[in-house]
Amino acid sequence: MAFSIAACGGGAATQPTAVAPQPTTAAAAEPTAATAAEPTTAAAEPTAAATTGEGRVLRLWHYESPQGAMGAAWAEAIKQFEASHPGVKVEFEQKGFEQIRQTANMVLNSDQAPDVMEYNKGNATAGLLASQGLLTDMTDEATKRGWDKILSPSLQTTSLYDDKGVMGSGKWYGVTNYGEYVMVYYNKAMFEKYGVTVPTTFDEFEAAMDTFVKAGVTPLAVGGAEYPAQQIFYTLALSKANRDFVNAYELYQGDVDFKGPEFTYGAERLVDWVQKGYISKDATGMKAEDMGVAFENGTYPMMISGSWWYGRFMTEIKGFEWGTFLFPGNKLHPGSGGNLWVIPENSKNKDLAYDFIEITLKQDIQTILGNAGGVPINADVSKITDPKVKELIQNFDTVVKSDGLAFYPDWPVPGYYDTLVAGVQELLSGAKAPAEVLDEIAIPYKDNKDAMGS
Amino acid sequence: MRSRSRTRITRTRWVRNACVGGGPCSPAPFELAALAPLPCCRRYIYSTQGTVQYVRPQAAAHTFFVHHRALLVERGCSVARKASTLNKGYWPFLVPGLILFIFIIILPLLMNIGISFTNWNGIRNPKFIGFENYIRLFQDKAFWASFRNNLAMIVAMTIVPTIVGLFLATFLFDYIARVFKRGKGITSFFRAGFYLPQILPVAIAGVVWGWILQPGTGVLNWLLDGLAKATNTTSLAHNWLGDASTALGTVMVIMIWFQIGYPLVIFMAGLQRVDPELLEAASIDGATWLQRFYYITIRIIQPEIFVVVLTTVIAALKVFGPIFVLTRGGPGNATLVPSYFAYQNFFGGTNRVGYGASIATIMTIIIVILTIVFIKMQSKENI
């Protein structure tokens, strides 16, 4: 599990996966940020219940860092909520990602549950709690309030869960208000120094990495002790995959052959990249945080990771110009709607919780989120001032428009994160052959699928 | 009603100038027989010329030690004694502790055992599945790998620190403290220094070690690279924690660093009990430092050694924090230990709480058995 604090832009980058937090940014869904839903006023229209708010309390938990994009946007949302709900007090508790990850099932099963909280998306997390009846079904409100219009179908995937807790269909158990995706971060100064241009095809990408290797520079910063390496493995597999493969793997809509062309290519190519020197053998000893810091220090020209680093890099990288591009040649990229707002079934203030969620989806809040380096899904793009953020949002729009969000590799199986970290470490270190690793990671997947009876 | 308790009586005393085999002796041999042995008494004499000697309780002038004095230890068997009136009414004082013990230890332990027989995702309705978790556990490669790594942890947390701690403690106590003018101060400084890792929060120490060992920018590799440059040799810089072949060894070295201070402090306290005259006598009799260490020191602080071995073995079996902070059981399963493996199942998103509980139950059984064995061994020892 990734242990960093989930905080885009704030603390360490976290993991975007069912197992680890991922703070990431919001993405503009199609309707892209630009065309997004009609602007609403900042204040939510208070519901009837909310107007008689005297003495009521909305208990809110989330685990985004106050400095991060989501933290900044949500702090403003709290202010607006209190302004539009006189007499209602928001009791906000800052939580840690790990704290929520490990205790949510117990807390939500008790009377200590908050009224609204941030929770991780995916089958093993929100899906599990939904299937156990711990989360409120928000379908009616989502339709009534038009959230289903604001969130594009691919962003809705992680908000909808069926009876078994499988994402992608069924009822609304969560609402995301930002997006996230994996991209290539690059150090413009180093590109310039070694005469490398931004690659647009996979071959150009490898050629660029060859140039760095020849100059004695390891091209990719990779955290092999945590989530980043498995996302590279998955990205490589996605280069040979289509939507059916993703649906089979992530949503159990069909059989997955771990020895098929997609994963075989992913595993073999990853090993190949280590052998060619694109990835250092030392990567197995680097955590995500080490990877991010190494990129910030200008040690590596490139880093393949998620948008949750974006806000942080905007504030912390001072010594060189940097930019991002989508993984060349891929139509499918790891990414999804961000973490979810969920309303525990035991909440006694569901009406207030709906109002709060609504405020976080409003354009002005979304614009704050975008300007802080998040990927908004409903921002007024004309008010996004930073060219970098514009690039971030545009790339996300590109992915969403081409139905390119492929989720994350560890989502399909509870506890798969650790299995994949271990397997990919064995690939990187050469301890095991690709075929052997693929056999190993196939076992828990198959067990889980059998257990689900699908 | 008067309660009666059983107590074992131990007494120690110095005996002087015992002579061998009743030969000519000067001054007069010491008469053990005159010592009025305790009921079913066992007698041992610490000498500098051999192992501890057992002396039959009724032995008369059994002698073995010349010139100086030796320590006679007698242990009686348990005898019933009338309970002291002071002991009356202490039960109420035990109640708070007992309540906490029941609620914090016993009850969760029983619940854990119960959960281990179920398939449970940690939320609702555990499903009883009998021994299925245990059957699966014994077929689980990761589980066996974790136990193999546990043996390595016992080496790193018990065996090496105990042996090194013994020598260090003796060296500081017996040599540094005596030879140097400011020996006591130097000894205290080193004792504190060695003990420091025990005081540091494991998370902080782990993170710092992580930085030191970081493959790309860590201090250790930087030093090794620098040394290699200075000496024109191949650098020994390595991906210490990220390479499966060195990760466990690296963690072991860190654990030794963590643990050394604990036995050292306990042993140094124990060494206070060693009568300097005894060591002096042995010196006069020509015993080398090593002989004094082996025949006197080790034997006198045997109870401390037992305590250290028992507590550190239990700590090694339960080790979690350093693994969690340094490697999370990786790379692959190279540094996986049972407690972290159980944690992964409880909290790692696998939702296999029952499986995690079965790992914890097995660990508990092993630890309890080991503890009983150690305590039995210790109580058999008559020292």
Side-chain angles (χ1 to χ4, degrees):
Chain A
M1 12 200 127
F3 282 88
S4 12
I5 301 137
C8 184
T14 58
Q15 167 151 357
T17 76
V19 186
Q22 278 170 264
T24 75
T25 48
E30 87 224 25
T32 62
T35 57
E38 68 270 17
T40 53
T41 52
E45 292 160 35
T47 60
T51 47
T52 56
E54 206 51 54
R56 293 180 72 190
V57 171
L58 176 76
R59 294 178 66 226
L60 163 75
W61 292 3
H62 75 65
Y63 46 79
E64 300 295 343
S65 112
Q67 297 80 29
M70 271 62 74
W74 296 347
E76 178 59 27
I78 292 172
K79 275 188 202 154
Q80 290 193 11
F81 176 87
E82 286 186 325
S84 61
H85 293 68
V88 179
K89 191 174 173 305
V90 176
E91 247 179 38
F92 165 61
E93 284 182 47
Q94 175 80 44
K95 297 287 176 185
F97 166 76
E98 279 302 313
Q99 212 179 343
I100 297 269
R101 192 176 67 81
Q102 294 174 11
T103 60
N105 52 6
M106 290 171 242
V107 170
L108 268 60
N109 219 351
S110 73
D111 56 2
Q112 300 300 305
D115 297 311
V116 61
M117 66 186 271
E118 179 185 13
Y119 195 51
N120 227 328
K121 66 268 175 205
N123 299 349
T125 47
L128 175 74
L129 297 195
S131 69
Q132 301 287 322
L134 297 181
L135 302 181
T136 302
D137 170 7
M138 301 192 237
T139 311
D140 292 347
E141 293 292 326
T143 317
K144 197 168 83 187
R145 294 169 184 252
W147 298 343
D148 55 345
K149 306 282 187 302
I150 294 173
L151 293 175
S152 70
S154 59
L155 284 177
Q156 284 181 32
T157 305
T158 47
S159 296
L160 303 171
Y161 295 92
D162 67 12
D163 294 347
K164 286 183 176 168
V166 179
M167 66 184 184
S169 65
K171 296 172 178 160
W172 285 72
Y173 283 104
V175 179
T176 187
N177 56 22
Y178 65 98
E180 57 186 40
Y181 67 109
V182 171
M183 67 198 85
V184 184
Y185 291 84
Y186 73 105
N187 179 325
K188 288 184 177 174
M190 287 178 92
F191 268 50
E192 224 165 277
K193 182 178 171 187
Y194 294 98
V196 175
T197 52
V198 172
T200 52
T201 65
F202 186 77
D203 289 344
E204 284 177 17
F205 187 51
E206 288 202 328
M209 292 198 284
D210 282 327
T211 307
F212 285 115
V213 170
K214 280 189 190 115
V217 176
T218 304
L220 290 175
V222 178
E226 286 177 351
Y227 68 86
Q230 60 183 255
Q231 292 182 355
I232 297 175
F233 159 68
Y234 188 55
T235 302
L236 287 166
L238 290 173
S239 69
K240 297 289 173 200
N242 56 21
R243 178 52 60 181
D244 289 344
F245 169 84
V246 173
N247 287 346
Y249 180 68
E250 299 276 358
L251 310 175
Y252 320 118
Q253 294 171 4
D255 290 331
V256 178
D257 180 2
F258 277 79
K259 289 288 193 47
E262 300 88 356
F263 281 135
T264 301
Y265 178 83
E268 287 175 352
R269 205 67 179 185
L270 190 69
V271 172
D272 189 45
W273 277 18
V274 177
Q275 284 165 352
K276 284 182 174 164
Y278 301 166
I279 297 174
S280 160
K281 281 221 172 209
D282 288 351
T284 49
M286 285 176 74
K287 295 184 173 172
E289 179 66 13
D290 300 331
M291 168 188 81
V293 169
F295 182 76
E296 286 187 352
N297 291 340
T299 313
Y300 297 89
M302 286 187 278
M303 175 182 116
I304 300 169
S305 197
S307 46
W308 45 94
W309 292 97
Y310 215 91
R312 179 173 167 183
F313 285 174
M314 279 168 62
T315 52
E316 291 183 5
I317 296 181
K318 304 281 186 229
F320 57 87
E321 285 298 311
W322 58 278
T324 60
F325 54 88
L326 287 171
F327 191 86
N330 269 35
K331 272 214 175 85
L332 294 163
H333 303 267
S336 71
N339 290 327
L340 305 169
W341 287 121
V342 298
I343 302 178
E345 188 53 71
N346 292 345
S347 162
K348 294 182 180 57
N349 297 297
K350 290 182 185 178
D351 56 323
L352 299 178
Y354 290 130
D355 290 351
F356 177 77
I357 293 171
E358 180 146 332
I359 291 173
T360 63
L361 285 163
K362 293 198 176 307
Q363 257 196 348
D364 55 338
I365 299 290
Q366 289 283 310
T367 307
I368 291 172
L369 195 147
N371 276 321
V375 181
I377 52 177
N378 190 22
D380 177 353
V381 178
S382 65
K383 291 193 178 144
I384 302 275
T385 48
D386 191 301
K388 271 210 164 44
V389 176
K390 281 192 168 152
E391 174 184 74
L392 173 78
I393 296 170
Q394 274 161 8
N395 280 338
F396 188 72
D397 284 352
T398 308
V399 176
V400 171
K401 274 182 180 156
S402 61
D403 189 24
L405 289 177
F407 317 115
Y408 294 97
D410 60 321
W411 279 12
V413 186
Y416 213 24
Y417 174 77
D418 290 318
T419 308
L420 290 177
V421 168
V424 172
Q425 278 183 321
E426 283 163 343
L427 285 177
L428 293 173
S429 64
K432 286 185 179 160
E436 203 180 344
V437 170
L438 292 174
D439 280 337
E440 266 176 23
I441 64 174
I443 295 165
Y445 186 91
K446 187 179 170 302
D447 286 353
N448 183 58
K449 211 169 162 182
D450 292 347
M452 292 182 69
S454 46
Chain B
M1 202 174 109
R2 278 264 167 97
S3 66
R4 299 170 74 85
S5 64
R6 298 186 72 78
T7 310
R8 165 176 273 171
I9 299 168
T10 303
R11 46 183 203 206
T12 56
R13 67 186 71 192
W14 292 106
V15 292
R16 286 180 179 278
N17 302 330
C19 299
V20 180
C25 220
S26 173
F30 185 85
E31 290 286 346
L32 282 168
L35 284 176
L38 297 163
C40 44
C41 160
R42 303 184 71 170
R43 290 168 161 175
Y44 296 86
I45 293 195
Y46 291 98
S47 81
T48 54
Q49 297 179 340
T51 54
V52 172
Q53 301 231 355
Y54 170 62
V55 189
R56 284 191 312 279
Q58 304 307 330
H62 180 89
T63 55
F64 53 92
F65 186 69
V66 188
H67 291 318
H68 215 279
R69 58 188 200 162
L71 188 69
L72 169 70
V73 176
E74 298 173 289
R75 301 196 69 172
C77 51
S78 297
V79 290
R81 307 176 83 197
K82 284 180 186 172
S84 149
T85 47
L86 278 176
N87 285 345
K88 278 180 79 178
Y90 57 80
W91 277 104
F93 295 97
L94 294 179
V95 170
L98 197 65
I99 290 171
L100 287 174
F101 181 68
I102 287 168
F103 280 97
I104 294 172
I105 308 283
I106 297 290
L107 206 62
L109 177 69
L110 294 175
M111 285 167 75
N112 181 78
I113 293 169
I115 291 166
S116 73
F117 293 109
T118 65
N119 179 1
W120 189 36
N121 61 16
I123 302 178
R124 289 179 183 181
N125 308 331
K127 188 174 138 215
F128 183 78
I129 52 166
F131 282 92
E132 218 171 282
N133 281 328
Y134 291 94
I135 293 163
R136 186 176 152 182
L137 194 61
F138 286 110
Q139 297 166 341
D140 191 332
K141 274 188 210 160
F143 177 68
W144 292 110
S146 73
F147 265 102
R148 186 202 61 215
N149 295 340
N150 235 346
L151 293 177
M153 287 295 122
I154 290 173
V155 171
M157 293 175 69
T158 302
I159 298 173
V160 175
T162 304
I163 293 169
V164 174
L166 255 177
F167 277 99
L168 264 178
T170 315
F171 177 70
L172 287 174
F173 185 87
D174 200 27
Y175 183 75
I176 300 280
R178 293 174 208 286
V179 173
F180 291 95
K181 205 167 151 189
R182 297 176 193 279
K184 283 225 157 65
I186 297 172
T187 300
S188 300
F189 171 78
F190 277 107
R191 185 175 53 194
F194 281 116
Y195 196 67
L196 189 64
Q198 289 278 304
I199 301 167
L200 289 177
V202 69
I204 292 172
V207 168
V208 172
W209 272 107
W211 287 341
I212 292 170
L213 296 164
Q214 225 266 339
T217 54
V219 173
L220 180 64
N221 281 353
W222 174 80
L223 272 175
L224 293 170
D225 284 338
L227 272 175
K229 271 193 193 132
T231 54
N232 262 338
T233 50
T234 315
S235 173
L236 293 171
H238 188 74
N239 182 8
W240 300 103
L241 287 172
D243 178 343
S245 61
T246 55
L248 186 62
T250 308
V251 171
M252 285 169 75
V253 169
I254 295 170
M255 291 321 298
I256 292 169
W257 171 85
F258 261 116
Q259 286 291 107
I260 285 283
Y262 172 67
L264 180 81
V265 167
I266 303 265
F267 293 156
M268 283 184 83
L271 288 171
Q272 310 278 356
R273 292 190 294 113
V274 181
D275 191 310
E277 287 190 32
L278 192 58
L279 295 165
E280 201 183 316
S283 290
I284 292 166
D285 284 345
T288 62
W289 180 86
L290 204 61
Q291 286 172 316
R292 294 201 304 272
F293 174 71
Y294 184 76
Y295 292 119
I296 301 175
T297 308
I298 287 194
R299 280 169 178 75
I300 290 190
I301 63 167
Q302 214 155 357
E304 280 84 357
I305 295 175
F306 261 113
V307 168
V308 163
V309 169
L310 176 63
T311 50
T312 54
V313 164
I314 292 173
L317 289 170
K318 294 196 309 186
V319 68
F320 174 83
I323 298 291
F324 177 86
V325 179
L326 287 165
T327 60
R328 313 244 162 89
N333 288 331
T335 56
L336 189 69
V337 289
S339 59
Y340 186 72
F341 188 42
Y343 165 86
Q344 274 184 336
N345 283 284
F346 276 121
F347 300 116
T350 60
N351 308 320
R352 292 201 304 250
V353 176
Y355 195 58
S358 63
I359 301 164
T361 306
I362 297 277
M363 280 171 64
T364 307
I365 291 168
I366 290 171
I367 289 171
V368 167
I369 289 172
L370 268 175
T371 308
I372 291 170
V373 167
F374 268 100
I375 289 173
K376 280 252 182 270
M377 278 169 63
Q378 195 176 354
S379 61
K380 270 191 186 153
E381 280 298 327
N382 282 304
I383 303 305

